[in-house]
Structure formats: structure tokens, C-alpha cells
Amino acid sequence: MASLVRGLRRQQQPLRLAVVAQRTRQCSDSSLKVTHTGQVWQSDDYRNLRFVDRFKQVNPNFANDMIAAVPPMEVDDRVVYCDGGDPSVGHPRVYLNLDQAGPHSCTYCGLRFVLKKH
């Protein structure tokens, strides 16, 4: 009996693969959009099945690009803290030591701080 069940499963597997291949050809063109992590698959990949009847929503405003657009804040103190700005939507306070040259980033929000030259 067990060998009969295994034989049936082997026969069904090519059928399943054929159905997956047919459905992936029907995927929307939006499934070919590249995300900020570089996620994109070939048009016949089974992972495109999730985009058969819907669009892949990719935000064109990547967080890294938005943070890079904000210039580093120049400060007078060697040790500063970042709390994300507004206390109601910010993050825990992070202290940054600015003794070394160059901008230093907050590990939560990515804001950069640099020691002002005197």
C-alpha cells in the first residue's frame, strides 16, 4: 500500500510543476520590479505566484536614500544623544562619542552627527 501511495505522489509531482509553470507565466509585469534588497526573480520562478492576481508594491523611496539626503548635524559637544526627535514616535536614547573624525550614525534611525570644528 505504501509503495502505491509513493507511486501516486511521483505521478502528481510533474503535474503540480506544470501548473506552477503555467500560473507563473500569468504573473503581472509588476512582479519584475526590484526591491531595495535586490529581490527579483526570473519570470518562470514559482515565487512569482503571489503576484498572479495582484501587483508587487515597491516603495521607490528607500530608507537608506532618504537618510543619506539629510545632512549630518554639526554639534559642539563630544558626546551627544539621539532619541529620534519627537518623544511620542522616537526611540530609546542612544549616546554617541564624536572623538573620532567624521560623521557618526545613530543605530536606530540613522541620523548622523559630526563634531563642529572650532
Side-chain angles (χ1 to χ4, degrees), residues 32-43:
L32 301 177
K33 289 183 181 177
V34 179
T35 64
H36 70 287
T37 58
Q39 181 186 59
V40 67
W41 300 298
Q42 300 295 324
S43 61

Side-chain angles (χ1 to χ4, degrees), residues 12-83:
Q12 290 176 346
Q13 188 172 7
L15 179 61
R16 284 189 200 137
L17 294 176
V19 170
V20 168
Q22 179 186 6
R23 294 292 304 263
T24 54
R25 285 188 213 106
Q26 299 171 357
C27 294
S28 64
D29 291 336
S30 70
S31 67
L32 301 177
K33 289 183 181 177
V34 179
T35 64
H36 70 287
T37 58
Q39 181 186 59
V40 67
W41 300 298
Q42 300 295 324
S43 61
D44 61 346
D45 195 312
Y46 74 93
R47 291 174 286 193
N48 284 325
L49 282 176
R50 67 183 93 170
F51 307 117
V52 169
D53 59 346
R54 59 183 70 90
F55 292 100
K56 184 176 185 180
Q57 299 177 359
V58 177
N59 187 346
N61 302 320
F62 300 147
N64 292 342
D65 297 337
M66 294 172 67
I67 291 171
V70 177
M73 296 172 55
E74 290 189 355
V75 293
D76 293 323
D77 299 328
R78 289 182 24 236
V79 177
V80 296
Y81 71 86
C82 178
D83 60 3

